[in-house]
Amino acid sequence: MSILVEARAVSRTLSDPEPFTLVDAASLGVEAGQLVAIVGPSGCGKSSLLYLLGLLDRPNQGDVLIDGQPTGHLAEADRTRLRLERIGYVFQFHFLLPELTARDNVALPMRRLAKRSRAQIDTAVEGLLDKLGVGAQAARRPDRLSGGQRQRVAIARALANDPAILLCDEPTGNLDSLNTRLVIEEFQRLAHDEHRAVICVTHDAGFAEAADRRVRMLDGRIVEDR
């Protein structure tokens, strides 16, 4: 399998008001077909590393490679385009736009990328919502959806542009045990059956156990990868 996303000795530090290291010389490569859980105590740098991998933040040192290509030199517009094309995001709080229906929330990334016609977008959105089991809720706004339905719509939105890389920050943090299990099974399917690289920050021990790899962080460093 090919490495789809790789961090090479990346560090992220803040200097205001006092110097503070979020990520300290972390290296991590994730292949297609892998579900990886990043674990560790609160404040250890898990989310900061995820934001670096997803090009949402820039490292002070080191580089992030997407499909084997360095990204540190890219202008912000090029990074934004690369994110839209290759990376999907799922967060603990679904961040669905409350004024839009489930259908329109999922269509939004496709419209931003502007590679498909309106008819193609409509067909793709319907397929994604059906695959995630929320097709019947397509016309509902987020406040008319359950927590599990909102998170599945958020996953559908993350998959809108068929990204090879899916990054998730505590995606089951607000879900009950049943919906947590369903979301974990969906991430396993996306990695194993659809051959995506799926990387999830989690405090959920069951989620970590279900992953193919568990990467443990402490004080900004990767201290275990198994």
Side-chain angles (χ1 to χ4, degrees):
M1 290 287 187
S2 59
I3 294 178
L4 295 181
V5 56
E6 181 181 5
R8 290 187 179 174
V10 294
S11 294
R12 178 73 175 121
T13 58
L14 301 178
S15 57
D16 186 20
E18 298 293 334
F20 182 75
T21 298
L22 300 171
V23 179
D24 188 2
S27 294
L28 176 69
V30 180
E31 299 178 348
Q34 283 191 322
L35 172 58
V36 177
I38 302 179
V39 301
S42 296
C44 71
K46 303 185 301 296
S47 294
S48 296
L49 176 59
L50 198 74
Y51 297 157
L52 293 174
L53 291 171
L55 309 185
L56 293 171
D57 206 352
R58 290 181 184 264
N60 300 98
Q61 294 181 321
D63 204 354
V64 172
L65 284 69
I66 304 295
D67 301 316
Q69 300 301 311
T71 62
H73 67 288
L74 294 178
E76 200 56 45
D78 295 323
R79 289 165 64 88
T80 298
R81 182 76 178 182
L82 187 56
R83 285 197 300 268
L84 271 174
E85 291 179 338
R86 300 296 288 164
I87 305 171
Y89 303 89
V90 182
F91 299 98
Q92 177 176 355
F93 303 101
H94 53 81
F95 294 126
L96 299 174
L97 295 180
E99 69 274 16
L100 299 182
T101 64
R103 178 186 295 113
D104 288 338
N105 266 284
V106 176
L108 196 59
M110 301 184 199
R111 291 173 181 157
R112 288 189 63 200
L113 189 58
K115 280 190 171 182
R116 308 187 202 189
S117 69
R118 177 65 180 269
Q120 289 172 326
I121 289 174
D122 290 345
T123 299
V125 169
E126 181 179 344
L128 282 169
L129 291 174
D130 285 344
K131 185 180 292 187
L132 271 297
V134 285
Q137 287 75 40
R140 294 185 180 181
R141 293 181 179 174
D143 64 351
R144 299 296 304 277
L145 302 174
S146 70
Q149 289 169 341
R150 285 193 292 266
Q151 196 62 307
R152 280 180 277 166
V153 172
I155 294 171
R157 181 183 59 185
L159 298 173
N161 290 323
D162 195 25
I165 302 159
L166 188 63
L167 304 180
C168 317
D169 196 357
E170 299 286 0
T172 60
N174 287 326
L175 300 181
D176 59 25
S177 58
L178 173 60
N179 280 296
T180 292
R181 179 176 60 80
L182 293 174
V183 167
I184 291 172
E185 290 174 354
E186 181 60 25
F187 287 144
Q188 289 174 322
R189 187 189 68 80
L190 291 168
H192 302 156
D193 297 346
E194 298 189 6
H195 305 291
R196 304 178 198 266
V198 183
I199 308 169
C200 297
V201 164
T202 184
H203 281 102
D204 187 314
F207 195 154
E209 188 62 32
D212 304 311
R213 287 169 62 191
R214 286 162 295 285
V215 175
R216 184 173 300 279
M217 294 189 69
L218 185 66
D219 298 331
R221 288 182 169 272
I222 293 176
V223 296
E224 184 180 49
D225 186 351
R226 62 180 179 86

